[in-house]
Amino acid sequence: MARIEKTVSASDQRESGRQKVITTIRKSGKIARIDIAQHTGVSPATVTSITSELLNAGLIEEVAPDGDRADTRRGRPRVALKIRGDAHIVAGIKISNTTTIVALIDFEGNTVAEYTSPMPSSKLSPAEMVDVIDQALTATATKAGLGRDQISGVGIGVAGIIDAPRGFVYWSPSMTERNIELRDMIAAKINLPVFIDNDANLVAKAEQMFGMGKNVRDFIVITIEHGVGMGIVIDNELYRGTRGCGAEFGHTKVHLDGALCRCGQRGCLEAYVADYALLREASITGTLTSTDQVDASVDALFAKAKAGDATAQSIFHRAGRMFALGLANIINIFDPELIILSGERMQYDYLYADEVLEAMKALVTQIDAPLPDVHIHKWGDLMWAKGAAAFAMDGVTELAIKRIADAA
């Protein structure tokens, strides 16, 4: 029995080593074997063995390093390793309340194709959601001149409370039903590996792989769109919580028995900050005209505030104060190195105006050390889809490594 346990442990160690090596290669761009050993703590001999497996599997390739330096002891050029871009193509899909956005990327993270289509409705049944994803994937592959069988996996970002390992949707504002095995339904329809997560988590993934979080161990992304989301990266790992709802910043409570949130509870931060909350207040006060209300436009409300309308200004001011309270709570709990504010609402400054950030600072526990940096990243919708694709890339990599392990 002891020998069996030792064998299983050795196998797990080997698989973990493969994952460390390929992650290091991806993060570095180009890197020599000896440098991989130094970065990972894996022995040079084991790195050589693992990279040989990855080369044989077609996941990485040898290239001349930057500068093409020679090994002066042996008189031969050093060899670097990099991810092989054409090893796999993955798709990322972001479902919003108005559009479906798809990004195809290669294994290095280069964009192959983009596609956007309108949602037939802001809320869909599970079957309708599956059909929308199926049609969008086919349209994107066609646009790229690819067959569906040339796509290795699909990542999907959906607002709501998601158990990512199970692919299970407890609740989503985009769906008419709760407690849905959405990943399995989609996989059965498209016949590809599917990876599904909360959309804000996948924005954090995009920031980690392509954006401001690339070289940061601990950071938090807060997204403001139709709702409010958060992605947490701790020690380079995405944190989701036990049930998949460990980062529901928009549903933290800021007012006992306060405004009604679309989740059905009262006093959530989102019920004061999200666009529907702002428009609800504007409707109550009559700040928007009937024409404005047909468009349900935060743009119109923001224009009124900029033009000096006192009521419109008070709506944004209140939202900013509530947001400052939420940000201060996040800093007091997590003390991250960096906070990234992202999403469609970053086109407006009411959530990151100087007075909002000053209010946040006043509410943070005071010590003689600098506060976390707060950065604004006004990426467009494609960022969300690229984050979903990055998530799929991780999943496809894991499947490829398991195939190597099974063949060993």
Side-chain angles (χ1 to χ4, degrees):
M1 180 64 72
R3 284 198 299 270
I4 293 174
E5 290 177 355
K6 185 175 180 180
T7 302
V8 171
S9 175
S11 174
D12 289 346
Q13 266 192 333
R14 182 74 170 188
E15 191 166 326
S16 174
R18 294 185 186 103
Q19 192 67 253
K20 284 180 181 178
V21 168
I22 198 167
T23 298
T24 300
I25 295 171
R26 185 182 299 286
K27 194 168 185 179
S28 302
K30 294 180 182 179
I31 187 170
R33 289 172 175 83
I34 188 64
D35 296 324
I36 295 172
Q38 292 173 353
H39 277 79
T40 61
V42 177
S43 73
T46 302
V47 167
T48 298
S49 176
I50 287 173
T51 54
S52 177
E53 293 175 331
L54 297 176
L55 283 163
N56 290 335
L59 300 177
I60 63 174
E61 59 187 348
E62 292 183 330
V63 292
D66 294 333
D68 198 22
R69 292 184 292 132
D71 185 332
T72 55
R73 293 172 302 170
R74 296 183 174 87
R76 65 189 184 197
R78 291 182 68 192
V79 174
L81 298 166
K82 66 181 281 293
I83 298 295
R84 190 165 71 86
D86 59 0
H88 293 283
I89 292 175
V90 298
I93 301 176
K94 152 69 174 172
I95 301 295
S96 78
N97 63 315
T98 58
T99 55
T100 303
I101 305 103
V102 187
L104 287 183
I105 66 173
D106 68 17
F107 213 46
E108 285 186 276
N110 301 308
T111 301
V112 175
E114 307 166 16
Y115 176 80
T116 301
S117 61
M119 287 280 282
S121 173
S122 61
K123 297 189 84 163
L124 302 176
S125 70
E128 290 170 332
M129 180 71 76
V130 171
D131 286 341
V132 163
I133 289 168
D134 179 47
Q135 292 162 16
L137 185 62
T138 297
T140 311
T142 300
K143 182 179 179 181
L146 299 172
R148 285 262 291 259
D149 59 348
Q150 292 175 272
I151 297 172
S152 299
V154 180
I156 300 167
V158 182
I161 300 175
I162 318 275
D163 184 336
R166 290 173 58 199
F168 186 83
V169 179
Y170 288 104
W171 168 81
S172 171
S174 298
M175 296 181 65
T176 57
E177 298 176 31
R178 302 172 72 104
N179 301 318
I180 302 299
E181 301 275 3
L182 188 61
R183 181 192 62 194
D184 293 346
M185 289 180 64
I186 296 168
K189 177 77 171 183
I190 68 176
N191 196 30
L192 289 170
V194 174
F195 312 91
I196 187 167
D197 203 349
N198 171 272
D199 53 1
N201 284 343
L202 299 186
V203 176
K205 191 70 187 175
E207 291 286 4
Q208 184 181 42
M209 186 165 286
F210 312 115
M212 292 182 176
K214 194 165 187 179
N215 297 306
V216 182
R217 292 178 66 88
D218 304 298
F219 68 92
I220 287 175
V221 173
I222 294 172
T223 62
I224 302 95
E225 295 275 318
H226 188 60
V228 179
M230 181 167 70
I232 304 170
V233 174
I234 300 175
D235 197 21
N236 290 319
E237 295 292 333
L238 195 61
Y239 177 79
R240 297 183 177 90
T242 303
R243 299 175 299 152
C245 56
E248 287 297 326
F249 179 52
H251 301 290
T252 56
K253 303 303 182 280
V254 294
H255 194 298
L256 185 65
D257 295 328
L260 186 64
C261 178
R262 61 180 178 167
C263 75
Q265 295 190 352
R266 290 188 176 274
C268 298
L269 175 66
E270 183 179 292
Y272 297 92
V273 172
D275 54 3
Y276 69 85
L278 303 176
L279 293 171
R280 177 170 58 197
E281 289 223 332
S283 176
I284 291 169
T285 61
T287 304
L288 294 179
T289 66
S290 57
T291 302
D292 291 327
Q293 288 179 23
V294 168
D295 295 333
S297 175
V298 177
D299 291 342
L301 185 62
F302 191 68
K304 286 179 180 292
K306 286 297 185 182
D309 185 288
T311 303
Q313 289 176 343
S314 73
I315 291 171
F316 286 108
H317 179 61
R318 184 190 192 211
R321 285 188 296 124
M322 288 294 193
F323 192 60
L325 174 61
L327 285 178
N329 287 337
I330 292 301
I331 294 172
N332 286 336
I333 293 169
F334 291 101
D335 190 28
E337 180 180 345
L338 172 67
I339 293 177
I340 302 168
L341 304 182
S342 185
E344 185 181 347
R345 292 296 165 251
M346 289 300 101
Q347 64 186 295
Y348 310 118
D349 63 2
Y350 72 95
L351 293 181
Y352 60 91
D354 289 343
E355 56 265 32
V356 173
L357 298 182
E358 288 302 315
M360 174 201 76
K361 292 174 184 177
L363 294 167
V364 171
T365 301
Q366 302 298 310
I367 59 171
D368 295 328
L371 289 172
D373 290 331
V374 179
H375 286 213
I376 315 302
H377 205 174
K378 302 178 185 178
W379 283 22
D381 287 337
L382 185 61
M383 171 187 66
W384 302 74
K386 287 193 74 174
F391 183 46
M393 190 187 298
D394 280 354
V396 167
T397 301
E398 187 175 334
L399 290 174
I401 287 173
K402 285 186 181 299
R403 283 195 290 270
I404 292 172
D406 291 343

